[in-house]
Amino acid sequence: MRTIQTDEIIKNISEMCVEANLYLSPDTKNAIHTQMEKEKSTLGKRVLTQLTENMEIAAKEQVPICQDTGMAVVFLNIGQELHIQGISLEDAVNEGIRRGYKDGYLRKSVVKDPIFRENTKDNTPGIIHYRIVPGDKLEITVAPKGFGSENMSKLYMLKPADGIEGVKEAILNAVKEAGPNACPPMVVGVGIGGDFEKSAIMAKEALTRDIFTHSKISYVKELEAELLEKINALGIGPGGLGGVTTALAVHINTYPTHIAGLPVAVNICCHAARHVTRVL
C-alpha cells in the first residue's frame, strides 16, 4: 500500500490547469502544422497560420490560448493499492482547480446554478470522473473544455437496425450542424455503446487521446479514418471559412450495449484540444 497526500494532488492539478490553458499539446501543434501543408484554400492556410502564431504568443507571453479557459474536466485513474491521505479527494481536486484558475489569472466561467447563473468566481466545481485501476499510482488528466464547441455536441439514441451506416450519418450530421460554431479545425470525440451517460463520457474522454493515436480495434480504426476523410470533404474548413481541414482527428471509443440500443455521443472540441496528463 502506497500513500499520497492530497496536498500533492492539489499542487499538481493547479499546475495542470494553467499548463493546459497556456500550452497547446505537442500532438495538436504537430497536427496543425501538418494540415498547413495539406490545406488547399488560401484563406484556410491563413487561418491555420494565425492559429500557429496564436499558440506561440500564448506560450511566450504566458496568456491563455483562448479567452474561454473552459470548465475543468478531470479524469482520475486511481490505483486500488493507493491510499489517499488528507482532505477528501473531491475537495482536493476542486481546490487544485480553484488555485490554478486564480493563480493563473484564468477566466472563471462556472455558475452555481444553471438557472440563476451566479458565478462561483473560482471556476469550481469541476467535472470529475473516477476509475479504480490496478496498481498504486494516480493518473490525472485535466482537460479544460470551452463551451463554444461543447454546445455543438450531440447524443443520439439510435436503433440497432440503424447499424454502422446510421452511426456514420449521426456523426456527420453533428459536424455539419456545428459548422463554424465549433471553431474548426475540430477534434471529434465519439462514444458508441454503453448507455445514455456512458456514451457521453466515452466521447469526452476520446478527446484526450493523442491526435495521431488510433483505436486498437480494426473496424473502429477504419471508421475513424473514413469519417475524418468525409468530414474534411464537407468544405467547412479552418474557422468555417472553407477548405479541406475541418477536423484534425476523429477518435472513437466503444463499449458493450443493450440488445435494444445503439447510443452514439459526439463531443466536439475546437482546435485547442486542451489536455494534460500526469502520473503521481
Side-chain angles (χ1 to χ4, degrees):
M1 181 68 70
R2 173 172 169 261
T3 298
I4 186 172
Q5 301 293 328
T6 51
D7 284 349
E8 187 176 351
I9 297 171
I10 292 168
K11 176 180 178 292
N12 276 275
I13 289 179
S14 173
E15 293 171 351
M16 293 165 77
C17 287
V18 177
E19 181 182 342
N21 274 293
L22 269 54
Y23 304 100
L24 207 56
S25 61
D27 57 312
T28 307
K29 285 196 285 189
N30 290 338
I32 292 174
H33 283 299
T34 299
Q35 288 305 126
M36 285 174 65
E37 301 299 321
K38 297 180 179 180
E39 181 53 61
K40 298 176 181 178
S41 163
T42 301
L43 194 54
K45 278 183 178 289
R46 189 180 304 168
V47 172
L48 292 174
T49 300
Q50 289 174 340
L51 294 180
T52 301
E53 292 172 351
N54 178 71
M55 62 187 176
E56 290 172 352
I57 292 169
K60 182 180 178 181
E61 301 293 334
Q62 295 289 280
V63 293
I65 299 164
C66 175
Q67 51 81 28
D68 183 352
T69 54
M71 191 169 191
V73 180
V74 180
F75 291 94
L76 300 173
N77 287 335
I78 308 163
Q80 62 187 23
E81 297 172 26
L82 180 67
H83 174 225
I84 298 172
Q85 191 172 69
I87 63 176
S88 79
L89 180 56
E90 183 171 342
D91 287 346
V93 171
N94 281 315
E95 180 59 25
I97 294 168
R98 181 178 295 109
R99 291 186 191 180
Y101 275 77
K102 282 191 170 183
D103 296 346
Y105 300 99
L106 305 175
R107 195 182 83 181
K108 288 78 176 175
S109 304
V110 175
V111 294
K112 291 180 182 179
D113 185 277
I115 302 301
F116 295 102
R117 317 296 293 180
E118 181 187 353
N119 199 296
T120 64
K121 299 180 182 177
D122 60 10
N123 221 61
T124 67
I127 305 295
I128 311 171
H129 301 291
Y130 303 89
R131 182 185 291 127
I132 304 299
V133 298
D136 63 359
K137 300 289 192 295
L138 174 63
E139 182 184 79
I140 307 170
T141 297
V142 174
K145 188 66 162 67
F147 265 59
S149 58
E150 185 75 359
N151 286 337
M152 296 297 104
S153 301
K154 301 283 185 183
L155 193 147
Y156 304 89
M157 301 303 289
L158 302 181
K159 300 182 294 294
D162 292 326
I164 196 165
E165 293 305 318
V167 170
K168 293 177 188 177
E169 184 181 349
I171 296 167
L172 288 171
N173 181 66
V175 174
K176 287 176 186 176
E177 288 192 21
N181 296 318
C183 299
M186 61 187 79
V187 179
V188 183
V190 180
I192 305 173
D195 61 359
F196 180 85
E197 78 275 7
K198 178 66 175 178
S199 60
I201 293 171
M202 287 193 296
K204 178 61 62 65
E205 192 167 19
L207 295 175
T208 67
R209 192 197 302 174
D210 184 285
I211 290 282
F212 299 102
T213 301
H214 301 286
S215 173
K216 295 178 181 178
I217 303 171
S218 58
Y219 91 87
V220 178
K221 180 180 178 180
E222 292 171 4
L223 185 59
E224 289 174 341
E226 179 186 344
L227 284 166
L228 180 60
E229 183 177 349
K230 288 182 175 179
I231 287 170
N232 284 334
L234 294 174
I236 296 169
L241 299 174
V244 298
T245 313
T246 297
L248 299 174
V250 176
H251 291 159
I252 301 173
N253 288 334
T254 62
Y255 195 82
T257 192
H258 192 277
I259 55 172
L262 180 54
V264 179
V266 184
N267 195 213
I268 296 175
C269 189
C270 65
H271 79 280
R274 296 167 291 193
H275 57 276
V276 175
T277 298
R278 293 186 184 181
V279 178
L280 307 184

